[in-house]
Amino acid sequence: MTGKKKSVHVKPDYDAVVIGAGFSGLYMLHSLRENGYSTKVFEKADDVGGTWYWNRYPGARCDSDSVYYNYTFSEELFKGWTWSSRYPEQAEILTYLNYVADTLHLRDGIQFNTTINHANYNEENNLWRIYTEDGDSVTATYFITAVGCLSASNVPNFKGLDSFKGNWYHTGQWPHEGVDFTGQKVGVIGTGSSGVQSIPVIAKEADHLTVFQRTPQYCFPARNHPYDPEFVKETKEKFSQLKTELRESHSGQIIKSRKPSALDDTSEDRNKAYEDRWQQGGYLFIYDDLLINEESNETAAEFIRSKIAETVKNPETAQKLMPSYHWGTKRQILDTDYYETYNRDNVSLIDVRSNPIEEITPNGIKTTAGEEEFDAIVFATGFDGMTGPLFRMDIHGKDGIALKDKWEEGSQTRTYLGLSTNGFPNMFMITGPESPSVLSNMPISIEQHVEWITDCINYMQKSDIDLIEANEEAEKEWSKHCRDIAEETLYTKTDSWYMGANIEGKARGFLIYLGGVGTYRKICKEVAENGYEGFDLISSTKTHSYTK
Ligand code: NA7
């Protein structure tokens, strides 16, 4: 729908304000600048990097193949960088993002050390006012969130945490100077990706490590290895082809040799295929129906359980480590020596499902099985995913409605394409809820959003449109579509942060579009080609500072 509206003409401080200077914010800044828009980025940290700035815990590394885990919008950038290995460590990825920021001269557009704690849409002026924690504010026509999906750390509200006399850390806010656990008794709570990556490394250093596990995980070996220079050379040579393949693929990665169903193979052939992948390392995507068909899924689950039994020497510990939920319906984890770590004399495992944590005491952690003393506690307890980082910014749209209230009322997050939400005009979310986001290769999904948003703003400027707002009906349909697809899979049968289930009181619902990166790209493209179908577009005579 296109309409007209009267608004008071106030020139904003910036065309666009972007929050966050990780993968999303850096490219958004570059793209808007390239198109002539005055843009300001606010970043809480003192440098670029986002997720890769904060997550410095021991063992932190990428679990996407690094040659796909980078920007593809610039051939020059792509060819100017060489990854050392298949799954590089956090420090290397952070260096990559610094390389991008420096090559594209982005730093002068970013205000570091600045937390945004409020953003307010002013209907009369059709402007966003964005407030810093210090009380300063700026105005912008477009408000763009590039805050990542996993940036709001979750430290569970354990009784007595304040009384703990030792040091405690959350994996997502790790001290820059590192932590030396030598000679210490350490407790790690949580066995998601962060716990599984850090546990083997901490175990080597600590005097004793106790792992507090609530849900056991299906881990698959990463078998990280340095890249063969010939492979790197070939990858660079076929840049254009690779870029197209990644963008049109299902998950934003190149995944080889899939078969339709695990049940089409004999159990011998299937186990051989699983065994080959186990030896080779990487994700267990061998059959297309693993996340759809319970029987197929169980074949993968059972294979990993058999590997746990084979690897972990103490049968009682092995039993505790065996998951029973549907394989792959929580975040899949690639590990390095995770199960092997439980064979060490200095590592023990407490199942907090049977023996819940009662409180943190001055000296350690007390479960229903007793108290254990620690010098340090590591919370590998994850994040308030997807919506958490947005809620922490206290965003208010039309009629002063808070995004949190909108999404929590009726217990439902609702977006149109994961890019926009009704009642919040001229606000765009990069990798927002109900887009492919965390179930895709993030940089590829980020690029698609950044390019779509830039095209949309260009369209608005050229067509003299001042305001774009997701239509309520289109939003309802999109949300329903996302949920309908999710219901066809096994994902919704498991409590996970994909479902908002890890945070007490959080609205439940599957927060990711599962139709695939390539399909999603096509849908977004068609929406744009059809004059931004599903959005209300409003124009007035307002002047703007478009400079190209
Ligand atoms: P995750 O995947 O959310 O893992 C958090 C872990 O912490 C998980 O094992 C949780 O158990 C556990 N947890 C959370 N709260 C508690 C309490 N109260 N008591 C005991 N255990 C608890 O976060 P990660 O940081 O590991 O990974 C997140 C993403 O970051 C990952 O996908 C990577 O992309 C990087 P649960 O399974 O909920 O029972």
Side-chain angles (χ1 to χ4, degrees):
M1 182 190 97
T2 309
K4 276 201 181 287
K5 184 182 185 236
K6 266 206 154 148
S7 62
V8 180
H9 310 311
V10 177
K11 193 174 183 307
D13 297 324
Y14 299 97
D15 292 321
V17 160
V18 178
I19 316 301
F23 262 103
S24 312
L26 291 178
Y27 183 31
M28 194 74 247
L29 172 61
H30 175 68
S31 181
L32 289 173
R33 276 183 163 181
E34 286 288 286
N35 282 271
Y37 300 106
S38 62
T39 306
K40 172 96 166 179
V41 175
F42 289 104
E43 167 57 56
K44 183 177 172 183
D46 64 8
D47 210 341
V48 299
T51 287
W52 300 106
Y53 173 95
W54 296 105
N55 283 269
R56 299 172 187 236
Y57 59 84
R61 60 174 71 245
C62 186
D63 52 11
S64 288
D65 287 67
S66 56
V67 283
Y68 312 139
Y69 194 79
N70 37 219
Y71 295 113
T72 57
F73 69 85
S74 156
E75 184 163 0
E76 228 179 318
L77 271 185
F78 186 85
K79 291 191 168 167
W81 180 263
T82 301
W83 293 106
S84 66
S85 67
R86 188 176 181 191
Y87 302 116
E89 285 187 8
Q90 168 270 337
E92 188 171 338
I93 305 166
L94 187 58
T95 309
Y96 167 75
L97 287 167
N98 275 275
Y99 149 77
V100 172
D102 292 335
T103 309
L104 302 177
H105 309 289
L106 298 176
R107 285 177 203 282
D108 62 351
I110 307 169
Q111 184 173 320
F112 294 105
N113 299 304
T114 308
T115 300
I116 298 303
N117 67 355
H118 184 52
N120 202 4
Y121 174 69
N122 181 318
E123 219 167 331
E124 198 187 339
N125 299 329
N126 185 30
L127 287 180
W128 279 91
R129 184 169 286 279
I130 295 107
Y131 297 83
T132 72
E133 211 171 37
D134 299 334
D136 294 334
S137 72
V138 295
T139 55
T141 305
Y142 305 105
F143 172 53
I144 303 172
T145 65
V147 288
C149 299
L150 296 163
S151 53
S153 305
N154 167 42
V155 177
N157 194 14
F158 289 119
K159 187 179 151 202
L161 179 57
D162 287 349
S163 72
F164 183 59
K165 287 193 289 199
N167 292 321
W168 65 265
Y169 312 91
H170 185 279
T171 49
Q173 289 171 338
W174 204 257
H176 286 200
E177 62 282 11
V179 181
D180 183 3
F181 290 115
T182 310
Q184 295 198 10
K185 289 193 180 3
V186 183
V188 173
I189 305 176
T191 52
S193 303
S194 307
V196 166
Q197 287 188 337
S198 58
I199 284 163
V201 183
I202 296 174
K204 284 187 192 144
E205 204 172 275
D207 180 46
H208 192 273
L209 169 65
T210 304
V211 178
F212 293 83
Q213 169 195 271
R214 187 164 69 181
T215 310
Q217 298 280 5
Y218 297 102
C219 302
F220 216 78
R223 305 216 192 279
N224 187 35
H225 55 80
Y227 273 139
D228 176 352
E230 199 47 41
F231 169 76
V232 173
K233 190 169 157 266
E234 276 169 25
T235 306
K236 289 189 181 184
E237 277 165 7
K238 60 172 193 191
F239 168 78
S240 301
Q241 184 197 335
L242 181 68
K243 176 175 170 177
T244 308
E245 279 177 20
L246 289 171
R247 289 174 174 219
E248 290 175 359
S249 68
H250 185 77
S251 63
Q253 304 207 55
I254 310 294
I255 292 171
K256 285 182 267 171
S257 68
R258 301 184 85 167
K259 287 185 177 178
S261 174
L263 306 178
D264 291 344
D265 269 347
T266 62
S267 65
E268 245 177 22
D269 288 347
R270 200 168 45 230
N271 278 331
K272 186 180 175 315
Y274 288 151
E275 181 64 35
D276 288 350
R277 186 58 61 91
W278 182 272
Q279 295 309 333
Q280 182 193 341
Y283 289 104
L284 187 55
F285 290 120
I286 296 176
Y287 303 108
D288 282 338
D289 68 344
L290 289 179
L291 287 163
I292 301 167
N293 181 318
E294 295 197 19
E295 210 185 321
S296 296
N297 186 287
E298 185 53 22
T299 65
E302 192 42 40
F303 175 79
I304 298 181
R305 285 193 288 260
S306 75
K307 285 292 176 189
I308 297 170
E310 200 177 293
T311 311
V312 179
K313 290 185 184 137
N314 180 326
E316 206 184 309
T317 307
Q319 195 55 43
K320 279 192 210 163
L321 285 167
M322 285 192 197
S324 56
Y325 66 90
H326 293 304
W327 169 85
T329 52
K330 276 169 160 317
R331 168 77 189 215
Q332 294 189 41
I333 301 180
L334 296 184
D335 78 287
T336 304
D337 296 337
Y338 177 65
Y339 295 126
E340 289 81 350
T341 296
Y342 291 94
N343 293 332
R344 295 176 66 100
D345 292 338
N346 70 334
V347 175
S348 47
L349 177 66
I350 293 183
D351 168 12
V352 300
R353 190 78 70 183
S354 326
N355 296 113
I357 296 174
E358 289 187 324
E359 62 178 312
I360 310 287
T361 64
N363 297 319
I365 298 176
K366 190 172 164 211
T367 68
T368 51
E371 183 178 349
E372 215 175 303
E373 295 194 355
F374 296 109
D375 301 303
I377 299 174
V378 174
F379 290 93
T381 42
F383 301 87
D384 182 354
M386 323 291 297
T387 55
L390 296 167
F391 291 164
R392 285 189 190 186
M393 275 194 295
D394 191 22
I395 302 167
H396 290 247
K398 276 179 12 191
D399 303 322
I401 185 150
L403 186 65
K404 191 170 192 312
D405 291 344
K406 177 188 167 181
W407 283 353
E408 287 192 344
E409 234 170 65
S411 301
Q412 209 177 353
T413 300
R414 273 209 194 125
T415 75
Y416 183 40
L417 304 171
L419 273 159
S420 170
T421 190
N422 175 261
F424 296 77
N426 292 357
M427 168 179 151
F428 299 103
M429 298 171 287
I430 303 178
T431 64
E434 301 180 335
S435 71
S437 70
V438 292
L439 280 167
S440 70
N441 183 27
M442 284 298 257
I444 300 302
S445 287
I446 285 167
E447 287 190 316
Q448 186 256 331
H449 270 188
V450 167
E451 288 159 17
W452 191 94
I453 293 166
T454 307
D455 289 346
C456 176
I457 292 175
N458 282 339
Y459 174 82
M460 289 173 72
Q461 295 296 336
K462 278 181 204 137
S463 317
D464 211 16
I465 289 163
D466 300 301
L467 183 155
I468 185 165
E469 181 183 359
N471 179 289
E472 207 174 346
E473 267 314 300
E475 172 172 296
K476 256 190 213 161
E477 266 175 43
W478 180 255
S479 281
K480 182 175 178 313
H481 179 56
C482 288
R483 279 153 216 255
D484 286 348
I485 298 177
E487 283 301 333
E488 287 169 20
T489 72
L490 300 173
Y491 279 108
T492 52
K493 296 191 188 304
T494 301
D495 278 349
S496 68
W497 55 262
Y498 299 149
M499 296 284 293
N502 64 326
I503 302 293
E504 232 181 289
K506 184 166 173 163
R508 294 273 177 122
F510 198 74
L511 295 171
I512 302 146
Y513 171 73
L514 286 175
V517 165
T519 308
Y520 176 78
R521 172 179 289 271
K522 245 194 234 160
I523 294 170
C524 291
K525 190 165 174 271
E526 278 166 20
V527 163
E529 282 168 357
N530 294 336
Y532 291 87
E533 197 176 9
F535 286 96
D536 292 337
L537 305 170
I538 312 275
S539 65
S540 71
T541 51
K542 177 180 158 283
T543 53
H544 55 73
S545 53
Y546 179 63
T547 54
K548 200 169 184 178

